[in-house]
Amino acid sequence: MGNVNDMCRRIGARLREERRRMGYTQEQLAERADLSANFIAHLERGSRKPSLDTLVALSGLLEVPVDRFFESEPAKPHREAESPLVRRLIRLVKQADPSRVKLLVSVMEEMAPPVRTDRPRRGRARR
C-alpha cells in the first residue's frame, strides 16, 4: 500500500479529481467545507494529512463515498461525465414522491427536443 506520504498524495489526487468533476474551484470547495483554500491546496498536493472529519465532510460535498479518496484507479467515465446539475436533479428525483416524479417526467418530455430514431449520416451528402 505504501507509506503515509504516498497515501496523502493519493488522497490529494482523488480530492482534486472529484473537485474538478463537480466544477468547484479550490476556493469554492473551501468555502463550502468551512476550510481555507490554502488548506485545500495542501491536501491536493498531499503535503497535509486530512482528519477523518475533514474527509467525511469533503466526501459529502463532493457526493462520493469516503473510500473514493483511497482508490488508486481513476473514476469511472460515466460519473465524470455527469454535470453537477444532473447529479442534483437525480438526487431530487430520488427524494420526491412518485406522483411528483410522474409530473416531472411529463414536463421534461414536453420540454425536450424530439428524439431522433434515424442515424445521422457521416461525411458529405450524396447528390
Side-chain angles (χ1 to χ4, degrees):
M1 174 158 318
N3 64 28
V4 173
N5 291 333
D6 291 338
M7 184 60 64
C8 288
R9 282 190 291 275
R10 180 178 297 148
I11 290 168
R14 293 298 154 251
L15 174 59
R16 181 181 303 110
E17 179 182 308
E18 296 300 331
R19 174 184 58 77
R20 287 178 176 168
R21 180 188 54 78
M22 291 294 288
Y24 294 147
T25 64
Q26 288 180 340
E27 292 77 15
Q28 290 168 329
L29 180 60
E31 183 178 323
R32 285 172 171 80
D34 198 26
L35 300 168
S36 74
N38 189 41
F39 184 65
I40 295 293
H42 277 286
L43 290 178
E44 288 186 359
R45 284 193 304 271
S47 60
R48 295 284 302 269
K49 297 177 201 164
S51 69
L52 182 57
D53 288 340
T54 298
L55 286 178
V56 169
L58 291 171
S59 73
L61 290 168
L62 297 172
E63 300 176 7
V64 295
V66 174
D67 63 352
R68 172 69 186 115
F69 295 119
F70 300 95
E71 295 175 2
S72 57
E73 74 279 351
K76 296 178 180 37
H78 77 279
R79 299 293 287 182
E80 291 176 346
E82 289 180 5
S83 74
L85 286 176
V86 170
R87 291 174 57 97
R88 182 176 174 201
L89 180 61
I90 291 168
R91 189 173 57 250
L92 291 170
V93 167
K94 286 180 178 179
Q95 295 170 351
D97 65 82
S99 63
R100 289 187 182 251
V101 172
K102 187 176 179 180
L103 176 62
L104 179 60
V105 169
S106 298
V107 169
M108 291 182 75
E109 286 175 342
E110 287 296 318
M111 292 174 52
V115 176
R116 291 185 59 174
T117 55
D118 61 325
R119 293 179 62 191
R121 292 184 179 173
R122 293 183 181 229
R124 297 186 339 183
R126 294 185 183 175
R127 293 185 192 244

